[in-house]
Amino acid sequence: MTPLPTTPLPTAPSGPSPAAPAAAGHRPVSGTAHLAVTEDPHLAGRLENLHAQLAALDSLVVAFSGGADSTLVLAAAARALGPDRVLAATGDSASLSDRERRAVRTIAHDLGVRHAFVTTRELESDGYRRNARSRCWFCKTELLQKLGEFATEEGMDAIATGTNADDLLDPFRPGVKAAAALGALTPLADAGLTKAQVRAASRSWGLPTWSKPASPCLSSRIAYGLTITRERLSRVERAEEALRTALREAGIVSGDLRVRDLGNRALIQVTPSAVRDLGDCRPALDAVRDAGFDDVEVDPLGFRSGSLNTMAVEPTAAPRSPEGSNGQ
């Protein structure tokens, strides 16, 4: 394939993303009788569209996060091309948690697709470390450039992301725009598949990610304006793992869970139904504090995706380690 550009893209754009394409009539694709048919009258046709797009490729690298979207792309590509012509590639850096690192390996293995970690160096980018609202632009640019080099080395034809049709309706998705600028394919979005349809199809196909909560990178937990460092990322990961353990031991169920880094103050977000029980669970609160935060709060509104967009934080000292010493 033609290598993706390797020169940095200087500035994240500010305009709205293009609207998602409407699903059109599709000629049935041979061999797609196994595709899901549900109460959604559009789903079968859109899955056939997805199959046709992928079957037209020689080979494919899937930018694989292990979430519902990229897992469906990976499974559909393996069906359309055969697993030997598909490669799952995951960007590997300090922003990838060990939990997700294990998950991507397991999912790719279960689908019979070869998996590779590709080292990315977004933490070397001033734009990424500054952690402005355009942070994802710098991260996705680094990822797609590295995947472009990797795909060329492996002799693969194209690169696809898990962008879905709903993602294109968001007026500010710098990561989506960066991937588009670098020529990544978006087969889910191009087929008109929404997030709900991705989950419905995944459930029909027996994919384990059909109900998996969104799990963006660890940097998404750090409030805008606070510098991204390895220590901050590590502290958030420690806090979330400790919180999961404490909740499990206390019998508190929460599908969604975040520890938001607001400086040296942590804001815990869980499923709204678990907020009251969490507030009364001292071991859970202490577990987060012991990960390296001075103060811990429970968000009374519970988990909301994108909630950091509305939060302001005060400048604070560098995060302390669990032992109490400061360090980057």
Side-chain angles (χ1 to χ4, degrees):
M1 63 170 281
T2 302
L4 293 173
T6 56
T7 54
L9 297 177
T11 307
S14 57
S17 300
H26 312 296
R27 180 177 60 81
V29 179
S30 175
T32 59
H34 60 281
L35 297 177
V37 177
T38 71
E39 295 179 358
D40 185 334
H42 305 292
L43 181 55
R46 292 179 184 182
L47 287 172
E48 289 178 351
N49 179 297
L50 174 65
H51 183 93
Q53 289 181 61
L54 296 171
L57 302 173
D58 290 331
S59 56
L60 182 68
V61 172
V62 176
F64 187 54
S65 69
D69 298 317
S70 63
T71 298
L72 183 63
V73 174
L74 189 64
R79 292 180 178 208
L81 296 171
D84 292 341
R85 293 163 62 194
V86 181
L87 214 167
T90 303
D92 192 9
S93 73
S95 66
L96 179 67
S97 70
D98 285 342
R99 170 180 289 265
E100 292 305 315
R101 190 174 281 107
R102 292 190 299 269
V104 292
R105 283 195 297 253
T106 299
I107 295 168
H109 176 269
D110 291 347
L111 290 173
V113 175
R114 184 160 64 99
H115 178 268
F117 287 108
V118 176
T119 300
T120 59
R121 304 186 184 281
E122 60 269 24
L123 275 169
E124 296 178 8
S125 164
D126 288 340
Y128 179 83
R129 289 196 307 272
R130 277 197 301 268
N131 194 24
R133 293 175 189 270
S134 59
R135 180 193 66 235
C136 291
W137 169 268
F138 299 98
C139 179
K140 193 69 76 173
T141 296
E142 169 70 5
L143 173 64
L144 267 297
Q145 287 178 346
K146 288 296 193 293
L147 291 188
E149 297 167 4
F150 176 71
T152 299
E153 293 170 0
E154 295 290 328
M156 305 298 277
D157 184 45
I159 299 170
T161 71
T163 300
N164 63 54
D166 289 337
D167 293 331
L168 299 188
L169 299 178
D170 189 327
F172 187 73
R173 291 296 293 259
V176 170
K177 294 175 187 177
L182 289 172
L185 303 180
T186 55
L188 298 179
D190 293 346
L193 285 159
T194 66
K195 187 70 172 191
Q197 290 173 329
V198 165
R199 292 197 182 279
S202 298
R203 185 174 189 178
S204 176
W205 289 11
L207 299 178
T209 51
W210 76 268
S211 62
K212 181 179 180 178
S215 184
C217 76
L218 292 171
S219 295
S220 68
R221 276 61 153 183
I222 300 174
Y224 292 124
L226 296 177
T227 302
I228 303 288
T229 65
R230 291 182 183 276
E231 173 54 25
R232 286 195 188 281
L233 297 171
S234 177
R235 181 173 67 169
V236 165
E237 182 174 14
R238 289 194 306 270
E240 291 192 347
E241 284 303 306
L243 178 59
R244 283 190 183 93
T245 298
L247 293 181
R248 183 169 60 249
E249 292 175 350
I252 300 173
V253 177
S254 178
D256 288 298
L257 180 155
R258 297 284 190 279
V259 174
R260 306 290 190 185
D261 183 337
L262 305 185
N264 279 332
R265 177 167 57 97
L267 181 69
I268 303 174
Q269 294 181 331
V270 293
T271 301
S273 61
V275 167
R276 182 184 295 273
D277 288 339
L278 172 59
D280 294 334
C281 185
R282 179 53 61 93
L285 303 181
D286 287 345
V288 173
R289 185 176 290 106
D290 291 345
F293 289 97
D294 292 335
D295 297 300
V296 177
E297 302 175 24
V298 177
D299 190 333
L301 299 179
F303 170 77
R304 290 101 62 214
S305 180
S307 60
L308 282 183
N309 293 332
T310 63
M311 293 181 188
V313 298
E314 68 283 357
T316 63
R320 65 174 176 85
S321 71
E323 292 75 29
S325 62
N326 287 333
Q328 292 296 319

